[in-house]
C-alpha cells in the first residue's frame, strides 16, 4: 500500500511491519453528533504499525467497506502504542520497563 502524507511517500512494501496495535479515532459525523451532544464519540481500530528505514512511522487500518486508511505518526506516539499493546517489542526496541 502506498500513501502520500504531508508530501512524503509511505510505501508499506518498503517498510518494516513492527506490531499490531489499537487506536481510538473520533467519529465526526452529523448523525452521532446530533444524538450524543456534548459527548466525544469514536471507535477503536485494530492497526498495523510500520517503520521506514529513515525512522518515520505509519499506522494503517481498514475502515468500513474495505477502505485502507494511513496516518503518519511521531515516534512518541508509536512508543506509547507499543508500550500498551506490544510490550515485548517495545522492550526489544527501546528499554526494559520496570516491574511494579
Amino acid at each position: 500500500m502506498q500513501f502520500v502524507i504531508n508530501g512524503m511517500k509511505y510505501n508499506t512494501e518498503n517498510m518494516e511491519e513492527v506490531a499490531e496495535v489499537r487506536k481510538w479515532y473520533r467519529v465526526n459525523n452529523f448523525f452521532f453528533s446530533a444524538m450524543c451532544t456534548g459527548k466525544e464519540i469514536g471507535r477503536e481500530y485494530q492497526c498495523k504499525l510500520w517503520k521506514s528505514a529513515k525512522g518515520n512511522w505509519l499506522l494503517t487500518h481498514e475502515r468500513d467497506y474495505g477502505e485502507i486508511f494511513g496516518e503518519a505518526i511521531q515516534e512518541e506516539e508509536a512508543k506509547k502504542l507499543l508500550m500498551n499493546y506490544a510490550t515485548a517489542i517495545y522492550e526489544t526496541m527501546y528499554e526494559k520497563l520496570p516491574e511494579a
Side-chain angles (χ1 to χ4, degrees):
M1 293 172 286
Q2 181 175 300
F3 304 91
V4 176
I5 304 168
N6 297 328
M8 291 180 65
K9 183 170 59 172
Y10 293 81
N11 187 341
T12 57
E13 291 180 22
N14 301 329
M15 299 177 83
E16 172 190 2
E17 183 179 334
V18 177
E20 288 202 12
V21 297
R22 299 186 70 77
K23 183 173 178 184
W24 185 85
Y25 287 92
R26 184 170 186 245
V27 173
N28 193 13
N29 127 351
F30 178 76
F31 176 72
F32 285 119
S33 297
M35 281 184 50
C36 307
T37 52
K39 293 184 181 176
E40 218 173 19
I41 306 297
R43 178 176 172 189
E44 190 173 71
Y45 286 93
Q46 183 74 26
C47 302
K48 289 185 180 180
L49 181 62
W50 306 84
K51 184 178 181 185
S52 74
K54 292 183 178 180
N56 294 305
W57 294 87
L58 177 72
L59 266 181
T60 60
H61 71 265
E62 188 173 322
R63 285 185 175 173
D64 299 329
Y65 311 110
E67 177 187 11
I68 304 294
F69 174 79
E71 174 190 14
I73 63 171
Q74 298 296 316
E75 184 174 22
E76 286 306 309
E77 184 176 359
K79 281 182 169 182
K80 287 178 186 176
L81 291 169
L82 287 170
M83 196 180 296
N84 290 326
Y85 298 103
T87 307
I89 295 170
Y90 173 88
E91 290 181 327
T92 300
M93 293 178 75
Y94 294 103
E95 63 185 341
K96 283 262 189 221
L97 295 171
E99 292 287 330

